Amino acid sequence: MTRIMGARPLTGYSHGAAGMADALLDLASLTGERRFREAGLEAIAYERSQFRPELDNWLDFRESDLAESKAELRAMTAWCHGAPGIGLARLRLLSQFDDAEIRREIEIALKNTLERGFGLNHSLCHGDLGNLELLLEAGIQLGVPQLLGRAKQIATMILESIKEHGWICGIPLGVETPGLMDGLAGIGYGLLRSANPSRAPSVLTLAPPRLVKPRHEQTYFSS
């Protein structure tokens, strides 16, 4: 049995400090209330204190009966926990806090994701299509064509994996299951977003719908 909560506050987007900071700073921007801003910045400061250079990642404090030692340094490379989700959260902060430290964290998250984030399963939550989102968003927001090109290559690899192995969902044994975060709905949406990011907004950052571009305009991944 694996338990989500640990003895210490968690890092990461889904269950941890990155997602909380993201929401609190959005709330501060909308309401103008300083208390939300301060709480969001405190969440980021806490998460930064849990970064480990030797892992190029932020520590994962979830408790597990499978863990060999509670003192063991562990990290995950996924949207829900670890560098990809934290990188996405930091990208969203650029409109409010564009500084060298946030930019450095985005670079670290990209490096970790490119090196360790693919070849897992196909899901959005903790699989290849979720991790691909960091490359897409960074390529678009930072204006880096190389990242979009790399995302296209990885999306092609995911399609080849699907052809060879079928849909590998983000649950034990990778069996097919419905659902957005771990299942087939999310895999389908992730592939649609990979094909045309301008039409399919990021569900992993709760992005609003984007204006639809005229059909004659190029998509990011047009051939």
Side-chain angles (χ1 to χ4, degrees), residues 13 38 45-47 57 73 79 91-92 143 145-146 155 165 193:
Y13 207 136
E38 290 176 348
Y46 166 74
E47 192 165 63
N57 210 336
L73 295 181
W79 167 80
L91 278 168
R92 293 197 76 233
Q146 294 88 344
H165 304 291
R193 175 151 169 78

Side-chain angles (χ1 to χ4, degrees), residues 49-163:
S49 73
Q50 307 309 322
F51 176 75
R52 294 297 182 270
E54 65 269 32
L55 301 175
D56 265 341
N57 210 336
W58 292 258
L59 292 176
D60 182 352
F61 293 121
R62 289 173 297 166
E63 294 178 357
S64 171
D65 294 337
L66 300 177
E68 296 180 2
S69 168
K70 289 189 177 180
E72 179 184 5
L73 295 181
R74 293 179 295 150
M76 186 176 183
T77 299
W79 167 80
C80 52
H81 295 279
I86 292 171
L88 279 172
R90 300 298 192 266
L91 278 168
R92 293 197 76 233
L93 288 181
L94 286 178
S95 61
Q96 300 181 60
F97 306 99
D98 189 348
D99 61 29
E101 192 163 10
I102 287 177
R103 294 264 176 176
R104 185 181 69 86
E105 288 177 315
I106 293 169
E107 290 178 5
I108 289 169
L110 285 165
K111 179 177 181 290
N112 181 277
T113 303
L114 284 166
E115 290 179 354
R116 307 171 191 176
F118 300 100
L120 309 170
N121 60 74
H122 303 138
S123 74
L124 288 181
C125 183
H126 47 270
D128 292 356
L129 286 164
N131 290 346
L132 189 67
E133 181 62 32
L134 176 62
L135 275 61
L136 287 173
E137 278 296 299
I140 294 167
Q141 289 193 40
L142 304 179
V144 182
Q146 294 88 344
L147 283 174
L148 292 173
R150 185 69 179 119
K152 181 177 181 179
Q153 292 174 350
I154 293 171
T156 300
M157 291 169 57
I158 294 171
L159 283 176
E160 292 301 318
S161 173
I162 290 169
K163 289 178 183 178

